[in-house]
Amino acid sequence: MTVDVVIPVYKPGKKLEKLLTMLAGQSVPPGEIILMNTGEVTFPKRLLHIHPHTRLYQVETEEFDHGGTRKQAAGYSRADYLLYMTQDAVPADTLLVERLLESFADPQVKAAYARQLPEEGCRELERYTRNFNYPSRSRVKTREDLKELGIKAFFCSNVCAMYEKKTFEELGGFVTHTIFNEDMIYGGGLLQAGYAIAYAAEAQVIHSHNYTAMQQFHRNFDLAVSQAEHPEVFGGVRSESEGIRMVKNTARHCIRIRKPWLILTLVVHSGCKYAGYWLGKRYKKLPRRAVLFCTMSPGYFT
């Protein structure tokens, strides 16, 4: 079984260097590292020598697309499996690739994603959210889990996710034009086709963000836009209930650790998340200026 890694790159920094170093030391080493570099910044050539089989492709800024660029990269690979990562996710150990591959021992599994651990300096609420969304217990999800999990059954994060390439090609890969959320759109298609998605908690990357309330607003607006544009995947699948459950559990956590003042921050951030999501679901009814204010991807609407 061969594995190639695909990493979209924009203004590469020290985390990408650490990521490439960790990939070079994996117990199951990837065959090729395919870097899709976007933007005007010159890619530092020294990074190409960290892993012996790194290939760099340039993507014009106006041509970058979350799904389309990743799908383009898949065409450069001849491996059995594709491991998609983001440049700010770093393997927690040398077993990441091996642990993800183990998920495919189940023939129904055609995608597997890793657990995301909070970085050092991660804020308390974000740390708890990471643990809520990426628990310590692995799970295989099929369409039979839709009643229990709702939209979370589709969840599969390209921060670190592996796909069987044969099935990926048969199902058409990622949607070629999407604002965001290409991984869940593909995950929904996988489940509808009768396949399964594995959450591999033993495969771990270090990745988290300290988003502001407005950044959460913009992010959730774009998330909802992607769902509104793909009713064939998300139509009729409940989504808000999982968010409500997370807010309630996080509030209990704040009380449990004796930091009740964090509940105010939680309320503000949750309100911004919901407002962004609510508006994103109805973006077609909004004036253009409002859409451009709400989105974090204005180029998508031009």
Side-chain angles (χ1 to χ4, degrees), residues 71-104:
K71 184 176 181 179
Q72 178 185 349
Y76 300 141
S77 170
R78 296 182 179 179
D80 301 311
Y81 294 89
L82 294 167
L83 172 55
Y84 284 88
M85 299 188 71
T86 54
Q87 67 184 51
D88 59 347
V90 178
D93 54 34
T94 61
L95 300 175
L96 175 68
V97 177
E98 181 179 346
R99 295 290 183 250
L100 285 171
L101 274 174
E102 288 173 353
S103 301
F104 295 91

Side-chain angles (χ1 to χ4, degrees), residues 105-207:
D106 180 345
Q108 192 178 10
V109 170
K110 301 300 178 183
Y113 66 101
R115 185 182 187 191
Q116 296 183 30
L117 302 176
E119 298 180 30
E120 186 178 347
C122 180
R123 295 173 189 158
E124 183 62 39
L125 294 181
E126 171 66 10
R127 185 176 296 275
Y128 182 80
T129 300
R130 288 284 139 184
N131 290 330
F132 180 89
N133 289 327
Y134 302 94
S136 59
R137 193 172 187 177
S138 298
R139 177 166 187 169
V140 173
K141 300 176 293 183
T142 68
R143 61 186 173 192
E144 280 70 38
D145 294 307
L146 277 169
K147 286 186 179 179
E148 176 195 350
L149 299 177
I151 202 168
K152 197 133 188 203
F154 298 159
F155 188 74
C156 181
S157 174
N158 270 347
V159 165
C160 183
M162 185 179 288
Y163 303 89
E164 184 196 62
K165 190 166 186 285
K166 181 175 181 290
T167 302
F168 183 87
E169 291 176 337
E170 287 174 353
L171 296 183
F174 299 127
V175 61
T176 54
H177 183 61
T178 181
I179 189 171
F180 191 48
N181 215 25
E182 78 291 336
D183 38 22
M184 282 187 69
I185 295 169
Y186 179 76
L190 268 183
L191 265 57
Q192 290 174 356
Y195 297 118
I197 300 170
Y199 166 57
E202 299 79 13
Q204 301 175 353
V205 292
I206 309 298
H207 177 264

Side-chain angles (χ1 to χ4, degrees), residues 26 40 57 64 90 123 166 179 198 203 215 217 229 255:
Q26 289 292 299
E40 303 301 324
Y57 297 90
F64 176 81
V90 178
R123 295 173 189 158
K166 181 175 181 290
I179 189 171
Q215 285 174 324
F217 171 88
E229 291 186 335
I255 295 171

